[in-house]
Amino acid sequence: MIVCVAVVGHQNNPLYIQSFTDADDALKLHHIVHCSLDVVDERVNNPKKSGPTLNETFLGLLYPTENYKVYGYLTNTKVKFILVTTDLDVRDADVRNEVPCCIC
Amino acid sequence: MGRDVSESCIDSLLTEMVSTYCNRFYANKPELAARRIEAIGYQVGHQLSERYTMERPCFSDHLEAIKFICKDFWFELFKKQIDNLKTNHRGTFVLQDNRFRWLTRMSIDQSPENGTSEELSIMADNKTMQSMHLYFPCGIIRGALSNLGIPCAVSADISNLPACSFVIRIKA
């Protein structure tokens, strides 16, 4: 289940953050999104040779926390889409297909 | 995502926009009018590049981004690609379109070579009006490239209508 969606601009300015759980969790989700921005920057600046190439827009699983998995997607104009989900058995391919649909 | 727009409407809108900014809003200040028109183009290019790069993988360098502008972006806007691309490999690119769609309806002056001073000043006026119409596409290119992370300056050159070339200088 997706608990949080965030759209962040190219200067790491938040454009849209929406969480889909109870209010007291919202701050923690904002914090997770904020931390994931660092991971995105790291992936962009140090592309892993074995991982996705520099041309990949879908960054895949950014990092797992205790209850959540965080996925990232980077557009050509450096707008980042962050997806936080609690689904423990979701596969990369499913999320990869969902994200372009969300953008349109 | 396909929605149709009438081409004659676009032509009329652009002609009217240039005419309004030059003759009504900034009547005696052509530089301000030009800057305003270019700023409108910047906004349009900014948003269009967001839309047209959606499905693509990222660009590896400046040349890839310029090639995207020449091919896909130009095709989406004008249903044709740029005819000629030249570069000096030091940050300057010249994009030449042999039949620029928005200038096809513009009259070409066939003035005699040794005209009187009146005719020459009329010709000069015509040249400035023609160059006013090119600020909008220059802005579009500049907006698109800056959204892709490439700050640049774009100028246009209309030595022979209806062909025109756009010179892109990438800021180092």
Side-chain angles (χ1 to χ4, degrees):
Chain A
M1 195 189 70
I2 297 180
V3 296
C4 179
V5 173
V7 181
V8 181
H10 72 101
Q11 283 160 340
N12 283 345
N13 49 320
L15 298 172
Y16 177 76
I17 301 188
Q18 176 75 54
S19 47
F20 303 103
T21 60
D22 328 329
D24 49 359
D25 246 1
L27 188 59
K28 185 163 139 194
L29 292 170
H30 285 204
H31 191 242
I32 290 180
V33 168
H34 195 257
C35 295
S36 63
L37 294 178
D38 280 336
V39 182
V40 173
D41 281 338
E42 208 181 280
R43 289 270 180 99
V44 164
N45 294 335
N46 314 330
K48 294 186 288 218
K49 296 300 179 209
S50 56
T53 66
L54 202 52
N55 285 338
E56 271 307 313
T57 49
F58 181 68
L59 301 168
L61 183 65
L62 294 178
Y63 69 99
T65 64
E66 67 273 11
N67 302 328
Y68 308 114
K69 289 168 121 183
V70 183
Y71 288 89
Y73 181 92
L74 185 67
T75 69
N76 257 314
T77 56
K78 307 284 178 269
V79 173
K80 307 163 185 85
F81 287 78
I82 312 278
L83 215 69
V84 183
T85 156
T86 54
D87 224 344
L88 291 175
D89 52 357
V90 71
R91 290 191 310 263
D92 245 9
D94 294 341
V95 187
R96 192 186 287 254
N97 292 337
E98 276 174 26
V99 175
C101 306
C102 302
I103 297 177
C104 302
Chain B
M1 205 164 47
R3 272 191 286 189
D4 289 339
V5 179
S6 145
E7 188 173 350
S8 49
C9 278
I10 295 275
D11 275 344
S12 311
L13 176 66
L14 295 177
T15 317
E16 186 55 33
M17 172 178 77
V18 173
S19 157
T20 312
Y21 272 93
C22 291
N23 302 334
R24 282 209 290 142
F25 292 165
Y26 299 102
N28 296 326
K29 301 171 225 164
E31 310 85 26
L32 285 184
R35 274 210 288 185
R36 202 67 195 90
I37 297 174
E38 211 258 354
I40 297 177
Y42 181 87
Q43 283 252 343
V44 174
H46 205 265
Q47 291 158 340
L48 283 180
S49 72
E50 187 87 55
R51 183 182 291 195
Y52 295 146
T53 56
M54 219 154 46
E55 308 278 308
R56 299 180 45 98
C58 293
F59 299 117
S60 37
D61 63 358
H62 292 339
L63 185 57
E64 288 295 316
I66 299 277
K67 281 180 6 187
F68 161 76
I69 298 277
C70 292
K71 296 190 195 166
D72 301 320
F73 194 74
W74 219 251
F75 187 78
E76 295 277 359
L77 285 182
F78 304 112
K79 292 283 179 284
K80 66 186 281 285
Q81 298 184 351
I82 285 275
D83 298 304
N84 201 350
L85 169 66
K86 292 188 273 239
T87 173
N88 72 350
H89 294 292
R90 265 182 227 114
T92 303
F93 297 85
V94 179
L95 277 58
Q96 185 170 337
D97 190 337
N98 290 336
R99 200 181 138 75
F100 189 51
R101 217 170 170 93
W102 290 342
L103 295 181
T104 47
R105 306 267 174 260
M106 200 171 279
S107 59
I108 306 174
D109 278 318
Q110 311 282 352
S111 312
E113 287 199 355
N114 40 346
T116 64
S117 60
E118 266 183 24
E119 288 174 11
L120 286 175
S121 68
I122 292 178
M123 268 182 66
D125 279 340
N126 283 341
K127 277 281 178 194
T128 36
M129 270 328 277
Q130 287 163 2
S131 56
M132 277 296 172
H133 280 84
L134 286 170
Y135 283 111
F136 187 64
C138 286
I140 292 184
I141 298 177
R142 188 170 74 92
L145 283 175
S146 62
N147 205 9
L148 298 173
I150 304 175
C152 58
V154 184
S155 57
D157 166 42
I158 31 159
S159 22
N160 47 335
L161 284 179
C164 74
S165 27
F166 296 95
V167 183
I168 302 177
R169 282 179 201 92
I170 298 188
K171 298 183 186 166

